[in-house]
Amino acid sequence: MERAPAPQLRRRLGRADLRAVPEARKALRELLRTWGRPGRSETAELLTSELVTNALVHTDHDAVLTATVGPRGLRVEVRDFVPRRPRLRVPNADDSTHGRGLVLVQSLADSWGVRTHGVGKAVWFELDAGLA
């Protein structure tokens, strides 16, 4: 018996188009509607918006969002075309809007990382299906 393909979201994000952030959250929400992990879905939306925002703010290129729901959980990846690796930095208390994205990802994701590829990198996170 052949297994059905895992539900997946793939979206191209236009360079510096911050309208893509709420659009990505909405598309992810639709993908996760059948996942059955409402608390994890909210976390997934938050972390996805952080990765999408980082790719759009810190690069001058398009990016690609991919989210896959499988038996082990959710994997979200944002690929951009700039080889410079993101830095995890301690947020400055005086700057309420910058420097917290990767700290949130590190704190809330079950695993995360950066994978380099030929013309850039992909920043990813995973949320396990078994945790509610």
Side-chain angles (χ1 to χ4, degrees):
M1 184 165 96
E2 205 172 301
R3 221 188 257 187
Q8 186 177 74
L9 163 67
R10 185 169 175 84
R11 174 93 21 113
R12 189 160 200 62
L13 309 168
R15 178 177 67 89
D17 182 8
L18 292 179
R19 292 173 305 186
V21 177
E23 291 168 5
R25 285 180 76 118
K26 182 178 179 189
L28 184 70
R29 189 175 312 123
E30 291 296 318
L31 175 73
L32 297 179
R33 185 164 285 165
T34 60
W35 193 27
R37 306 272 187 279
R40 301 298 272 175
S41 296
E42 291 170 6
T43 300
E45 282 185 53
L46 172 64
L47 299 184
T48 299
S49 66
E50 293 298 335
L51 294 189
V52 168
T53 300
N54 282 351
L56 297 176
V57 168
H58 297 294
T59 71
D60 194 27
H61 295 274
D62 291 355
V64 177
L65 164 67
T66 305
T68 307
V69 178
R72 294 177 50 211
L74 170 71
R75 179 180 176 94
V76 173
E77 179 176 291
V78 177
R79 180 177 176 167
D80 65 46
F81 303 94
V82 174
R84 183 181 66 250
R85 294 176 67 87
R87 286 188 344 217
L88 186 65
R89 46 181 214 184
V90 177
N92 180 339
D94 296 333
D95 189 353
S96 63
T97 60
H98 297 290
R100 289 173 169 71
L102 289 180
V103 172
L104 281 172
V105 173
Q106 181 184 45
S107 299
L108 298 174
D110 295 312
S111 57
W112 78 283
V114 180
R115 179 177 52 84
T116 57
H117 55 84
V119 291
K121 67 186 167 302
V123 182
W124 60 269
F125 73 85
E126 294 179 345
L127 295 176
D128 295 339
L131 303 172

